[in-house]
Amino acid sequence: MNLISELRELLGEKSTLILDPEILVSYQRDQAPFAPSGRPLVVLIARSIEEIAQVTKFANTKKIPIVVRGAGSGLAGGANAIPGSIVISTEKLNKILEIDSINQIARVQAGVINKELDVAVSEFGLAYLPDPASREWSTIGGNIATNAGGMCCVKYGVTSHHVRSIKVVLSDGELVELGFSTRKAVTTLDLLHLFVGSEGTLGIIVEATLSLVPRPQKPVTLIATFNDIAQAANAATEMMMLRPSMLELMDKTTLKAVESWKPMGFDNCDAVLILQSDEGSRACEVAQEIASNYGAIDAIFSDDPKDSDDLIQVRKLAYPALERLGVALLDDVVVPISKIRDLVIGVQRIAKEHFVTIGIFGHAGDGNMHPTIVYPHNDNAAEQRALRAFNNIIELAQSMGGTASGEHGIGALKINSAGDETSKRIMQLQREIKRVLDPQQIFNPGKKFSIDSCNF
Ligand SMILES: Cc1cc2nc3c(=O)[nH]c(=O)nc-3n(C[C@H](O)[C@H](O)[C@H](O)COP(=O)(O)OP(=O)(O)OC[C@H]3O[C@@H](n4cnc5c(N)ncnc54)[C@H](O)[C@@H]3O)c2cc1C
């Protein structure tokens, strides 16, 4: 019997196994250009934990790689299929199992879409805060596996701060629960947070209990324009004292890309800084003064929700506007916030050195910037220059005490960079953890850390 027949027999006729090559292609890659991928053996559209446990046990026995896939919105190739792998899609494991408004938690299956959860809990006056820009289609399982961030994380923290417990299928097919649904728990080692950000390399997250909070007040939004992005970056650093619930920076290249698509009147400045506060307008008044001290051309704010939406529109359009200009290779580096100015200047130098266009925007308040290299489609020479620029930006951030990825993950795209900033001892510890949890190396081999570093 071949592997597919064995799988069919194991799961029964009701399970959904995809074999059609044309459909398999759509499960082969996420949104990252360059990261390697291959044709999977089969895709399982999982409908129950039992199915996932059975397939995992089977794959473990046969040493078949498993790649878990949420929505495939990732930007690091983490969900890219490995040749001959079993892709397990959680897209149909999408039930909100419980909203407990008294204890301010929600229990959900891994495939629930982030935004759908937030909408559902809003009926109780609650919010699920982590807000990756992909929240309208990315899944809670994918968000936990990448420890996703977003704009409000500058105040409220990233996904890991909002996860209380998860149910995980381990490599032998056993189901375990890590963490507790209570607000506090210190009984065991914190294995929960070992899995948060593990990018599908340690186990399969099938359920999660998440923290909810009372919905924050509607934010007051300030937008400031500058002639000099270095001054805007300096102003951002000072504005962190105001506990902003959003603090975003955009450079001239990004603004030009937006203006050429949807003109909004930002064609006469070098940088835009956007700050939100959900604690009233006082923070915006002070931010206005700070902006002015750093030579802002203009700084206005509004507490009208409709105006707020309009004011942040330019930031929401940043990435799609750059994508319209060619292939967009999005970086995700983090530096100490005091170094944002130096990062921006360094990235501008790298753009010149490699003759590529780089738009810089991102979460200034977290020091997490997304320099985005844009180059023409089907231009091999430009592609090579873009790749060199991409790596140079990571090296630059690392040289400033920063890191290769703040929220998108390492996936298959940045494995070498991860090694550059991690000591041998830590690599060894990771290897030992991987050996305990996944001795046959079935979970997403070649992602997050290199196969070599995993050779037991
Ligand atoms: C336009 C755009 C904007 C984005 N904005 C942001 C942003 O603001 N912040 C941010 O952090 N990211 C952002 N991203 C990246 C991406 O959306 C996030 O990484 C997201 O968390 C991935 O969720 P997903 O469901 O699509 O996971 P996938 O892409 O399917 O998978 C991502 C990784 O998680 C693993 N995984 C998925 N589900 C599970 C599971 N149930 N158990 C174990 N492992 C699993 C996969 O194997 C893979 O390694 C953006 C992407 C796009 C395209």
Side-chain angles (χ1 to χ4, degrees):
M1 220 178 348
N2 70 20
L3 288 172
I4 301 295
S5 313
E6 284 185 60
L7 265 177
R8 277 204 195 294
E9 192 171 289
L10 181 72
L11 296 171
E13 287 306 314
K14 281 195 183 146
S15 65
T16 310
L17 289 173
I18 295 178
L19 295 163
D20 180 337
E22 281 181 23
I23 307 179
L24 283 185
V25 169
S26 60
Y27 286 89
Q28 197 167 314
R29 301 192 60 85
D30 66 9
Q31 307 303 309
F34 294 123
S37 70
R39 181 68 61 85
L41 172 73
V42 60
V43 175
L44 168 72
I45 309 290
R47 288 170 201 275
S48 69
I49 295 176
E50 292 69 31
E51 268 185 339
I52 293 180
Q54 280 174 314
V55 170
T56 303
K57 198 171 172 185
F58 175 81
N60 199 39
T61 317
K62 308 269 182 193
K63 295 193 187 179
I64 304 170
I66 288 182
V67 180
V68 194
R69 186 181 180 92
S73 73
L75 289 166
N80 282 8
I82 292 159
S85 59
I86 300 176
V87 170
I88 298 184
S89 167
T90 60
E91 68 197 91
K92 297 289 181 200
L93 275 185
N94 57 1
K95 288 193 188 59
I96 297 174
L97 301 168
E98 186 187 2
I99 297 171
D100 175 348
S101 59
I102 307 285
N103 290 302
Q104 300 186 340
I105 49 175
R107 198 161 56 83
V108 302
Q109 291 184 317
V112 164
I113 304 293
N114 174 316
K115 181 76 183 177
E116 288 176 10
L117 173 62
D118 187 49
V119 169
V121 303
S122 69
E123 289 180 24
F124 299 84
L126 296 169
Y128 176 65
L129 289 176
D131 61 345
S134 59
R135 73 184 312 192
E136 289 185 10
W137 56 303
S138 64
T139 66
I140 294 294
N143 291 173
I144 296 174
T146 54
N147 196 8
M151 294 204 203
C152 79
C153 300
V154 64
K155 179 168 181 183
Y156 294 106
V158 293
T159 299
S160 66
H161 299 105
H162 302 264
V163 185
R164 298 239 183 131
S165 70
I166 51 177
K167 284 189 183 166
V168 178
V169 172
L170 299 175
S171 59
D172 59 2
E174 190 177 341
L175 181 70
V176 293
E177 182 156 16
L178 304 171
F180 279 82
S181 63
T182 49
R183 284 181 80 88
K184 289 176 158 183
V186 292
T187 315
T188 63
L189 290 179
D190 191 352
L191 299 181
L192 162 66
H193 286 98
L194 186 60
F195 279 72
V196 178
S198 62
E199 300 185 47
T201 60
L202 300 181
I204 305 177
I205 300 158
V206 290
E207 253 181 55
T209 301
L210 305 165
S211 287
L212 307 172
V213 296
R215 278 195 104 67
Q217 282 178 45
K218 291 278 179 216
V220 183
T221 305
L222 170 127
I223 190 159
T225 55
F226 292 82
N227 267 331
D228 177 357
I229 190 164
Q231 288 292 72
N234 284 336
T237 307
E238 202 167 318
M239 287 177 191
M240 277 304 285
M241 288 303 286
L242 304 172
R243 277 173 53 82
S245 53
M246 177 203 284
L247 186 53
E248 299 285 315
L249 180 66
M250 296 169 71
D251 78 337
K252 190 181 179 98
T253 306
T254 311
L255 292 166
K256 267 171 70 181
V258 174
E259 284 295 314
S260 68
W261 181 26
K262 303 208 170 169
M264 294 183 178
F266 294 108
D267 41 9
N268 65 345
C269 61
D270 264 15
V272 161
L273 197 56
I274 303 177
L275 175 142
Q276 283 192 333
S277 169
D278 55 14
E279 296 176 18
S281 54
R282 181 66 194 138
C284 285
E285 286 165 12
V286 180
Q288 205 172 31
E289 280 169 35
I290 296 173
S292 157
N293 292 343
Y294 283 96
I297 306 170
D298 203 4
I300 54 163
F301 65 85
S302 172
D303 59 6
D304 180 277
K306 164 81 177 68
D307 288 350
S308 277
D309 285 350
D310 290 347
L311 292 176
I312 64 169
Q313 201 52 25
V314 61
R315 169 63 182 86
K316 290 197 163 167
L317 292 175
Y319 181 60
L322 288 164
E323 252 190 328
R324 284 178 69 247
L325 306 180
V327 183
L329 184 55
L330 187 75
D331 228 318
D332 174 40
V333 292
V334 193
V335 292
I337 53 170
S338 57
K339 297 277 173 64
I340 292 175
R341 177 185 168 278
D342 297 344
L343 178 76
V344 164
I345 293 169
V347 171
Q348 288 172 337
R349 177 180 43 77
I350 290 170
K352 280 197 189 127
E353 276 169 15
H354 295 287
F355 306 103
V356 286
T357 301
I358 308 182
I360 309 172
F361 65 93
H363 315 302
D366 289 323
N368 181 195
M369 300 303 288
H370 297 307
T372 301
I373 305 150
V374 185
Y375 61 93
H377 291 276
N378 307 317
D379 180 339
N380 286 341
E383 183 175 296
Q384 288 312 310
R385 292 199 307 275
L387 262 179
R388 283 197 291 276
F390 183 80
N391 290 327
N392 283 174
I393 291 169
I394 295 171
E395 286 155 15
L396 175 69
Q398 289 172 329
S399 74
M400 294 174 172
T403 180
S405 178
E407 52 183 26
H408 298 161
I410 294 300
L413 197 62
K414 293 189 176 174
I415 284 187
N416 295 333
S417 308
D420 290 344
E421 64 184 60
T422 314
S423 72
K424 286 207 170 89
R425 181 73 179 119
I426 296 297
M427 291 310 261
Q428 185 192 352
L429 281 173
Q430 292 199 130
R431 187 162 64 234
E432 284 165 15
I433 289 167
K434 174 84 172 164
R435 177 160 51 84
V436 169
L437 287 166
D438 182 18
Q440 305 295 346
Q441 298 193 49
I442 57 165
F443 287 135
N444 225 357
K447 313 285 178 64
K448 189 94 179 167
F449 18 76
S450 68
I451 298 266
D452 286 351
S453 75
C454 282
N455 274 339
F456 303 141

